[in-house]
Amino acid sequence: MEAQSKIDAFLTPSDTLNLKRQNTVIVTEAALASVTLLGLNQIWYSDYPKSNFHFINDNKEWLQMDKVGHFYSAYHLGRFGAEALNWSGADTKKQLIYGAGIGFVFLAAVEVMDGYSSEWGASSGDIIANTAGTALYVSQELLWKEQRITPKFSFHTTSYANQRPNVLGKSLNEQVLKDYNGQTYWLSVNLHSFAKKSKIPKWFNVAFGYGAEGMLSGNVQNEIPISVENPERYRQFFLSFDIDLAKINTKSHFLKTIFSVLNTIKIPAPTLEYSANKGLKAHAFYF
């Protein structure tokens, strides 16, 4: 009980600027960014030769799933950065400029790595998506002083990865990043935030999702092995329920921290799916 109380006290945001905490945030974020970039280099770039820095136009690839992924990543990296500075007692201006901006800066570094890879290249579409994700967080803080619309993620394994494991991932960890067929990105909307006098539970959300399937390569012009049949690719649109964990009332800052991390993920729930080639489909639970 005493240990839990100490943890909760440690996680409680400071009322005024705590320089020790601020320095801890800066050092920790720099270390995590460095380790993550090294990990991405191992997963994404190590098997391909380097090249001179260059741009490519990949805006039509993967049915834009990769762009939505950049949007999602920029939002949450910025949110975590802002919340970390809030914990240190930094003022709102610093939270929004330096905290929320960390997502954009980190993904800009990833874009540079793309630019020096012969297999890929820096992408203007990625940069636009990164900017939009950061802007979604900052604009809601400026407009409402709360996050009413939260990007979320869900993933399930697919048979496509087994057909092209070198492209879509050999292990589960790789597939979560590379197999766009199994990814779904959501905009989870908190209804009570838009109708505060209503009896809608504060934690109740409606989620709008986007996904795509049938993709063994970035686009249909990419080379596919002769032994592999190229399936028809199609977009998917989803409507579902969700929970905004940040809106669950609790005095425990430990639980608030856990909820903040888990609020990146869409919960499994009854879902309606629509696609042009399969029409309307209902899922008892979809993730």
Side-chain angles (χ1 to χ4, degrees):
M1 198 71 169
E2 183 179 350
Q4 184 177 349
S5 178
K6 288 182 178 179
I7 292 173
D8 206 62
F10 173 77
L11 294 173
T12 302
S14 177
D15 293 332
T16 58
L17 179 61
N18 185 316
L19 289 177
K20 184 178 180 179
R21 284 189 174 190
Q22 182 174 266
N23 291 336
T24 299
V25 169
I26 294 171
V27 172
T28 302
E29 288 179 347
L32 288 175
S34 300
V35 170
T36 303
L37 289 173
L38 288 173
L40 285 174
N41 181 66
Q42 185 64 30
I43 294 175
W44 283 97
Y45 307 104
S46 60
D47 294 334
Y48 303 99
K50 301 295 183 182
S51 69
N52 292 328
F53 185 83
H54 62 288
F55 276 87
I56 60 169
N57 183 354
D58 64 348
N59 295 331
K60 293 183 179 180
E61 293 192 357
W62 300 112
L63 294 179
Q64 295 78 50
M65 285 295 292
D66 57 327
K67 302 296 178 280
V68 183
H70 275 264
F71 171 85
Y72 165 88
S73 299
Y75 173 91
H76 283 292
L77 287 172
R79 179 174 69 85
F80 289 144
E83 289 179 356
L85 282 180
N86 177 61
W87 171 76
S88 74
D91 59 40
T92 302
K93 183 177 180 180
K94 287 183 178 179
Q95 292 176 36
L96 296 182
I97 295 177
Y98 301 111
I102 193 173
F104 181 84
V105 172
F106 173 80
L107 291 171
V110 175
E111 212 58 44
V112 170
M113 295 171 71
D114 279 346
Y116 280 108
S117 172
S118 62
E119 181 71 10
W120 292 279
S123 166
S124 59
D126 289 352
I127 295 172
I128 292 171
N130 297 341
T131 304
T134 302
L136 177 64
Y137 177 82
V138 173
S139 61
Q140 291 189 85
E141 288 298 316
L142 292 175
L143 184 61
W144 299 315
K145 293 181 171 52
E146 65 175 345
Q147 298 297 300
R148 299 183 178 184
I149 304 171
T150 306
K152 293 196 176 185
F153 174 81
S154 62
F155 176 80
H156 58 270
T157 56
T158 73
S159 61
Y160 301 105
N162 295 329
Q163 299 178 59
R164 296 201 75 191
N166 289 336
V167 175
L168 302 179
K170 299 175 184 178
S171 65
L172 178 60
N173 289 340
E174 288 187 355
Q175 289 170 18
V176 170
L177 290 173
K178 294 183 175 183
D179 187 5
Y180 295 113
N181 300 283
Q183 298 177 0
T184 307
Y185 290 97
W186 306 81
L187 283 179
S188 186
V189 182
N190 184 258
L191 298 182
H192 183 271
S193 296
F194 290 98
K196 293 185 179 294
K197 294 183 179 180
S198 69
K199 295 183 179 180
I200 300 172
K202 292 182 178 180
W203 46 263
F204 182 78
N205 280 24
V206 171
F208 304 90
Y210 174 68
E213 283 199 27
M215 301 175 293
L216 296 178
S217 61
N219 56 59
V220 293
Q221 285 76 37
N222 288 152
E223 183 179 352
I224 301 292
I226 297 176
S227 60
V228 176
E229 181 179 353
N230 197 1
E232 179 183 0
R233 55 183 60 207
Y234 61 94
R235 304 176 191 274
Q236 301 162 297
F237 301 93
F238 301 91
L239 176 64
S240 185
F241 304 111
D242 191 30
I243 293 176
D244 188 342
L245 296 176
K247 297 296 194 296
I248 295 178
N249 288 328
T250 176
K251 294 181 180 179
S252 169
H253 288 280
F254 174 76
L255 286 178
K256 287 181 180 180
T257 302
I258 297 298
F259 289 161
S260 176
V261 174
L262 295 180
N263 216 33
T264 60
I265 300 172
K266 163 76 171 62
I267 65 165
T271 301
L272 290 177
E273 172 191 346
Y274 174 79
S275 61
N277 62 338
K278 291 189 176 182
L280 192 63
K281 182 179 180 180
H283 301 269
F285 287 97
Y286 181 87
F287 188 69

